[in-house]
Amino acid sequence: MNTMTESKKTVTLNYINGEWVASDSEQTAVSKNPAKIGEDVGYYQMSSSNDFNQAAVSARKAQKAWGKLAGSVRGDYLLKAAAILEERIEDVATAMTQEMGKTFAEAKGETARGVAILRYYAGEGMRAIGDVIPSSDSDALMFTTRVPLGVVGVITPWNFPVAIPLWKMAPALIYGNAVVVKPASDTAITCSKVINCLHDAGIPAGVVNMVTGSGAKIGMEMVNHPEIDAITFTGSNTVGKQLAHAAVDRGIKYQLEMGGKNPVIVANDADLDLAADATISGGLKSTGQKCTATSRVIVHKDVYEEFKEKLLAKMKTITVGDGFETGTWMGPCASAGQLETVLSYIEKGKQEGAKLLYGGNQVLKDQGYYVEPTVFENATPSMTIAREEIFGPVLVLLKVDTMEEALEMANDSEYGLSASIFTTNIGNMLSFINEMDAGLVRINAESAGVELQAPFGGMKQSSSHSREQGRAAIEFFTSIKTVFVK
């Protein structure tokens, strides 16, 4: 069992060497329901350095045998885990909605995506991992193969507590690595349910480990530990860069996926209803708490007023509330701290002279951490709300005279994660594809769409320039070995 009952409270345990164990710190912390102030979801371990050391050592001992298994055999474990997770979609999604507020429909969709990720990477166990290369010596055989990195440290955020851990762990595992995952504290209970699916699938002891607790403590412990060979991280730029510096000092591989300030361009020939719907979906679903969420809405002057009217009309139909309630479209911010961050950006937008068109208020204060969907206009590209990642349901409208100006404005950001354009003009499409500095560009679709079989990652300050998901994951989670046989 991944939990224990102690003094009438449910406590989630660490998972080390195939067993669910309590931290030797004997300390726990509470996971709160952001939709219901005062409701505790459960407790998780505040782990010690010793806990992490045990997990890392266990992973090292298990990795050698795991790496020697045939890829198809490793894939069988992932297939079994996928089947178990599929049976438990309702339970896992319930924990997700309770812990971070995402609507139950979105939580079920994310969990189903986790099932698909496991099945996709199970199939990777049967794919080619090298090439035969002609040698200058006619009597020699030369080819490449790929070998696992060893033990991979996985640090994941709270906004996708099923999908992100799995899109990191599944490729790490199928390519022969062992893992130690440190999930975000706000969603540690949800992550433990995912780990339990791997446990119940019979994955060998030590191949997967989970340690919960302080990110500042466990995260730095992870990157500095001698048994860790690589770090894959999704989170803030500040923390990501700290991890990168430490990884460089140790000479280990690192992968960072960080922030975004994602634009959507609405051209003067766009389908405005489609653009408005996609802007709302891309910017406000999951309460805007996606790294690929639409934030800047750059609209051609010829259609600005009409688009604005359609956007506002659609936004006024959004229902805010508990993600379990029928009819709720947008849930709460994930925590009190996240709510305060969003409200502070809204206030800064007003102070800097942007016009608040809609929303901007905290609502249902006596219930949870709710804020209205919010739209600003009359903003300039230099304003804080147009430059910094808010990670909340806040859209900023920006008017432009030409498509050239729109592209220039869209690229005027330190980030380069995702971007989209709405247009029916092939020239606009091609210019956007060629000139947009983002790792994911989408045409006539919301900025937040990410497909598991395709490479995902950002440019500029949004990532360390590697790619996750799809076949591209093999580039990070393995090393190439060139073989020469005489």
Side-chain angles (χ1 to χ4, degrees):
M1 295 291 291
N2 62 327
T3 60
M4 65 179 182
T5 302
E6 179 184 283
S7 303
K8 298 183 179 180
K9 68 180 183 181
T10 301
V11 182
T12 294
L13 302 172
N14 285 333
Y15 185 67
I16 299 174
N17 200 30
E19 296 182 351
W20 294 98
V21 294
S23 168
D24 68 1
S25 73
E26 299 183 348
Q27 296 180 352
T28 60
V30 64
S31 177
K32 296 281 189 181
N33 185 341
K36 296 181 178 179
I37 293 174
E39 180 177 293
D40 297 343
V41 181
Y43 294 78
Y44 58 90
Q45 305 299 308
M46 290 300 290
S47 301
S48 67
S49 296
N50 185 53
D51 296 321
F52 182 80
N53 180 66
Q54 289 180 12
V57 170
S58 296
R60 174 64 69 198
K61 290 179 179 178
Q63 188 276 322
K64 191 170 184 179
W66 176 252
K68 287 182 177 179
L69 293 177
S72 59
V73 175
R74 294 194 294 263
D76 286 342
Y77 287 103
L78 299 192
L79 285 175
K80 290 175 186 175
I84 294 168
L85 180 59
E86 191 168 41
E87 292 173 355
R88 300 175 185 177
I89 279 180
E90 297 270 331
D91 178 58
V92 175
T94 296
M96 190 189 309
T97 297
Q98 288 175 332
E99 281 202 291
M100 63 82 59
K102 188 175 293 190
T103 65
F104 190 51
E106 286 186 84
K108 286 198 290 185
E110 182 186 334
T111 308
R113 181 180 172 187
V115 173
I117 289 168
L118 285 165
R119 287 180 175 150
Y120 175 88
Y121 282 108
E124 283 293 294
M126 295 291 284
R127 293 285 297 272
I129 57 169
D131 299 293
V132 175
I133 303 168
S135 171
S136 58
D137 186 338
S138 61
D139 294 324
L141 169 66
M142 187 163 63
F143 63 93
T144 62
T145 187
R146 287 181 177 269
V147 295
L149 301 176
V151 179
V152 178
V154 178
I155 302 175
T156 60
W158 46 261
N159 59 331
F160 285 93
V162 172
I164 293 180
L166 282 176
W167 88 41
K168 292 177 183 293
M169 289 194 296
L173 293 170
I174 199 64
Y175 299 130
N177 302 284
V179 299
V180 182
V181 60
K182 209 301 287 185
S185 294
D186 288 339
T187 50
I189 294 170
T190 304
C191 187
S192 77
K193 290 179 178 291
V194 175
I195 300 298
N196 206 35
C197 293
L198 289 160
H199 171 79
D200 290 347
I203 201 159
V207 171
V208 174
N209 303 270
M210 183 191 77
V211 178
T212 63
S214 164
K217 179 179 179 62
I218 301 301
M220 293 312 295
E221 187 80 25
M222 180 180 288
V223 75
N224 287 313
H225 198 283
E227 300 294 357
I228 299 296
D229 300 301
I231 292 283
T232 176
F233 165 86
T234 298
S236 73
N237 286 60
T238 300
V239 174
K241 289 178 180 179
Q242 290 173 349
L243 292 170
H245 283 300
V248 169
D249 285 344
R250 283 199 55 228
I252 64 171
K253 206 169 184 179
Y254 65 92
Q255 177 185 66
L256 312 175
E257 290 299 336
M258 300 178 287
K261 190 66 177 174
N262 311 297
V264 56
I265 296 174
V266 182
N268 58 0
D269 55 19
D271 179 331
L272 297 184
D273 284 306
L274 176 65
D277 283 337
T279 298
I280 288 171
S281 178
L284 306 179
K285 274 191 173 177
S286 294
T287 321
Q289 297 169 142
K290 298 180 181 179
C291 55
T292 54
T294 300
S295 181
R296 297 177 291 149
V297 188
I298 302 168
V299 188
H300 194 283
K301 66 178 182 179
D302 293 350
V303 295
Y304 181 88
E305 292 299 329
E306 185 181 358
F307 173 81
K308 182 174 74 173
E309 288 179 13
K310 290 180 180 292
L311 184 75
L312 291 174
K314 294 173 188 295
M315 287 189 72
K316 289 173 183 177
T317 68
I318 291 175
T319 52
V320 178
D322 190 325
F324 287 116
E325 293 179 1
T326 302
T328 293
W329 192 92
M330 191 178 90
C333 294
S335 65
Q338 193 60 32
L339 172 65
E340 288 305 312
T341 295
V342 173
L343 292 174
S344 71
Y345 274 110
I346 292 170
E347 188 59 34
K348 193 168 289 187
K350 292 187 286 187
Q351 291 173 357
E352 292 183 359
K355 179 182 177 181
L356 182 62
L357 273 179
Y358 183 79
N361 300 305
Q362 183 180 356
V363 293
L364 306 175
K365 293 183 182 181
D366 59 334
Q367 296 180 37
Y369 307 129
Y370 298 96
V371 65
E372 293 175 309
T374 300
V375 186
F376 282 97
E377 71 171 348
N378 295 346
T380 65
S382 62
M383 287 183 179
T384 302
I385 56 170
R387 301 209 68 80
E388 295 184 12
E389 185 177 42
I390 298 172
F391 226 62
V394 181
L395 299 172
V396 181
L397 299 183
L398 299 155
K399 188 190 299 186
V400 293
D401 294 333
T402 66
M403 286 307 298
E404 291 77 14
E405 183 185 356
L407 271 169
E408 184 178 348
M409 189 179 291
N411 279 325
D412 182 19
S413 173
E414 66 176 319
Y415 299 110
L417 187 54
S418 68
S420 65
I421 188 172
F422 289 85
T423 182
T424 55
N425 182 289
I426 188 67
N428 289 339
M429 295 179 191
L430 292 174
S431 294
F432 179 77
I433 292 167
N434 292 330
E435 298 177 31
M436 189 68 225
D437 294 331
L440 173 66
V441 294
R442 289 167 59 84
I443 317 299
N444 295 321
E446 66 179 74
S447 67
V450 177
E451 297 203 31
L452 65 94
Q453 72 276 21
F456 172 68
M459 298 180 180
K460 299 190 278 191
Q461 295 297 309
S462 287
S463 84
S464 57
H465 308 285
S466 61
R467 293 292 180 263
E468 297 188 280
Q469 301 200 87
R471 181 67 174 165
I474 198 172
E475 298 298 334
F476 179 76
F477 290 107
T478 64
S479 291
I480 292 175
K481 181 180 287 187
T482 301
V483 181
F484 182 89
V485 182
K486 176 69 173 175

